Amino acid sequence: MASALSSKKAIVFVAQGSEEMETVIAVDVLRRAGIQVLVLAVEIPSGPVTCSRGVRLVPDAYLGDNSIKISTFDAVVVPGGAGGAEILSQNAQVRCILSDFHAQHKIVAAICAGALAIKTAGIQSHLSEPLRITSHPSVSDQLVDEFSYKEDRVVVDGNLVTSRGPGTALEFSLRLVSLLVGADKAREVAAPMVLNFSL
Amino acid sequence: MASALSSKKAIVFVAQGSEEMETVIAVDVLRRAGIQVLVLAVEIPSGPVTCSRGVRLVPDAYLGDNSIKISTFDAVVVPGGAGGAEILSQNAQVRCILSDFHAQHKIVAAICAGALAIKTAGIQSHLSEPLRITSHPSVSDQLVDEFSYKEDRVVVDGNLVTSRGPGTALEFSLRLVSLLVGADKAREVAAPMVLNFSL
């Protein structure tokens, strides 16, 4: 099921405690669409990243690796998982990347507790109107004051894409495919996955 | 979101080319239910397993490790992904485990192309009635002659549980939770995942 590589490139961040379903679904679905995905860990290189339920993932690169040209990417994705979202949302370089990508009209995406990184990145502070956002229900109270909080399964506000949990990760990832390489590609990728919803 | 460990134990097989969404969703959901899950690779120990879309997983153990007491497990899960399913379905030890577990009325579960391992394990040959089974649509032609092939998203026939693809992996994994530790636990695990279906 190889797909011709598109010219689009996405970063999927991962940290200790990231939700493995959300992380892997984003990586897998974007790659099915031919998007070049870099699984980027924030910690010092020290082997695999242990996710929220103990799945161990080997990242493609680490954020401290200066050979990674962050500016060449078109999208950035922040998975949930309470522990991972805490690390990612508090990492100064991650916050800077999210803020820069948003200002440059690149796709900034977060799912579940990952939406907290949208807050800590300070994206809202540059804007006059509150951004429409969603997140895992358990962290909504940290977002409702600053943002226009929605309970839709995927919320798109311009180049900001947010979603709710493992059960929305396929819809979220396919929306990213649609935004990056088009709705036709999203439908093509969706067909063999045996989904229970239509695009 | 730690869950009290149940006494139930499940093996989730993985091989080069296994579908990473199907593998990780099974591991994650079963662990959310307190089931002890062993991610068991079949290849010779040589580092992480590269899945079908390039995600690299570090297994918990290898099949050749004699310290693993296979007989103490209550369930075995075979993920899809064409390459991984081919390796797993052709592995003599995997076939033996599947056959033994089925005969011992333990849970034998396969999703997507992983259902081919049910065929190669020879489980049907011991039975007079054809087992009800499903799989990824792309491999159904290899199963229709021998089995009673169904197109339901999850098919349960006694202790054999089969399913269709990445988009059915949550339903499949929650059904395994229900069979192993009960429907109440499955509903408890499902609630915070923000699913688009009810149990």
Side-chain angles (χ1 to χ4, degrees):
Chain A
M1 204 173 295
S3 185
L5 282 182
S6 83
S7 60
K8 297 294 182 178
K9 297 169 64 180
I11 290 166
V12 176
F13 279 120
V14 65
Q16 302 292 126
S18 287
E19 217 299 326
E20 43 271 74
M21 293 192 276
E22 295 165 355
T23 305
V24 167
I25 289 170
V27 174
D28 186 316
V29 171
L30 296 185
R31 284 183 177 157
R32 282 172 181 249
I35 296 162
Q36 297 174 57
V37 177
L38 188 77
V39 181
L40 190 58
V42 298
E43 287 95 352
I44 295 163
S46 58
V49 173
T50 301
C51 294
S52 65
R53 274 76 190 183
V55 169
R56 292 180 292 169
L57 298 181
V58 180
D60 297 322
Y62 291 89
L63 195 49
D65 179 348
N66 291 325
S67 71
I68 306 298
K69 301 295 180 225
I70 299 289
S71 65
T72 66
F73 286 82
D74 305 286
V76 59
V77 182
V78 183
E86 172 73 13
I87 292 170
L88 293 171
S89 65
Q90 296 304 325
N91 182 289
Q93 201 172 348
V94 171
R95 287 152 61 180
C96 184
I97 292 168
L98 295 178
S99 180
D100 286 353
F101 271 45
H102 192 264
Q104 294 162 16
H105 309 292
K106 296 178 173 185
I107 299 287
V108 175
I111 184 167
C112 198
L116 295 175
I118 306 301
K119 177 174 178 165
T120 56
I123 293 172
Q124 184 61 61
S125 65
H126 306 295
L127 305 168
S128 53
E129 292 292 315
L131 285 162
R132 292 187 298 278
I133 197 171
T134 192
S135 70
H136 195 268
S138 63
V139 298
S140 64
D141 59 345
Q142 299 177 60
L143 298 166
V144 289
D145 290 344
E146 187 171 355
F147 299 94
S148 173
Y149 193 86
K150 305 294 180 188
E151 296 190 348
D152 302 286
R153 296 174 63 79
V154 182
V155 173
V156 181
D157 188 346
N159 55 324
L160 178 66
V161 184
T162 49
S163 189
R164 309 209 81 192
T168 70
L170 283 168
E171 290 136 284
F172 169 70
S173 302
L174 287 164
R175 187 68 69 91
L176 296 179
V177 169
S178 190
L179 291 166
L180 284 165
V181 290
D184 285 349
K185 176 58 78 173
R187 281 189 289 268
E188 177 191 322
V189 167
M193 294 205 294
V194 199
L195 304 174
N196 67 350
F197 60 90
S198 303
L199 294 186
Chain B
M1 205 173 292
S3 185
L5 282 183
S6 83
S7 61
K8 298 294 183 178
K9 296 169 63 180
I11 290 167
V12 177
F13 279 120
V14 65
Q16 302 292 126
S18 287
E19 218 299 324
E20 43 270 74
M21 293 192 277
E22 294 165 357
T23 305
V24 167
I25 289 170
V27 174
D28 185 317
V29 172
L30 295 185
R31 284 183 176 158
R32 282 173 181 249
I35 296 162
Q36 298 174 57
V37 178
L38 187 76
V39 181
L40 188 59
V42 298
E43 288 94 353
I44 295 163
S46 58
V49 173
T50 302
C51 293
S52 65
R53 274 76 190 181
V55 169
R56 291 181 292 170
L57 298 181
V58 180
D60 297 323
Y62 291 90
L63 195 49
D65 180 349
N66 291 324
S67 71
I68 306 298
K69 301 295 180 225
I70 300 289
S71 64
T72 65
F73 286 82
D74 304 286
V76 58
V77 182
V78 183
E86 172 73 14
I87 292 169
L88 294 170
S89 64
Q90 295 304 325
N91 183 289
Q93 202 172 348
V94 170
R95 287 151 62 181
C96 184
I97 291 167
L98 295 178
S99 179
D100 285 355
F101 271 45
H102 192 264
Q104 293 162 16
H105 308 291
K106 296 178 172 185
I107 298 288
V108 174
I111 185 167
C112 197
L116 295 175
I118 305 303
K119 177 174 178 165
T120 57
I123 293 171
Q124 183 60 63
S125 65
H126 306 296
L127 305 169
S128 53
E129 292 292 315
L131 285 162
R132 292 187 298 279
I133 198 172
T134 193
S135 70
H136 195 268
S138 64
V139 298
S140 63
D141 59 346
Q142 299 177 60
L143 298 166
V144 288
D145 290 344
E146 187 170 356
F147 299 93
S148 173
Y149 193 86
K150 305 294 180 188
E151 297 192 346
D152 302 286
R153 296 175 63 79
V154 182
V155 173
V156 181
D157 188 347
N159 55 324
L160 178 66
V161 184
T162 49
S163 189
R164 309 210 80 192
T168 69
L170 283 167
E171 289 136 285
F172 169 70
S173 302
L174 287 164
R175 188 68 69 89
L176 296 179
V177 169
S178 189
L179 290 166
L180 284 164
V181 290
D184 285 350
K185 177 58 78 174
R187 281 189 289 268
E188 176 191 322
V189 167
M193 294 205 293
V194 199
L195 303 175
N196 66 350
F197 58 91
S198 303
L199 294 187

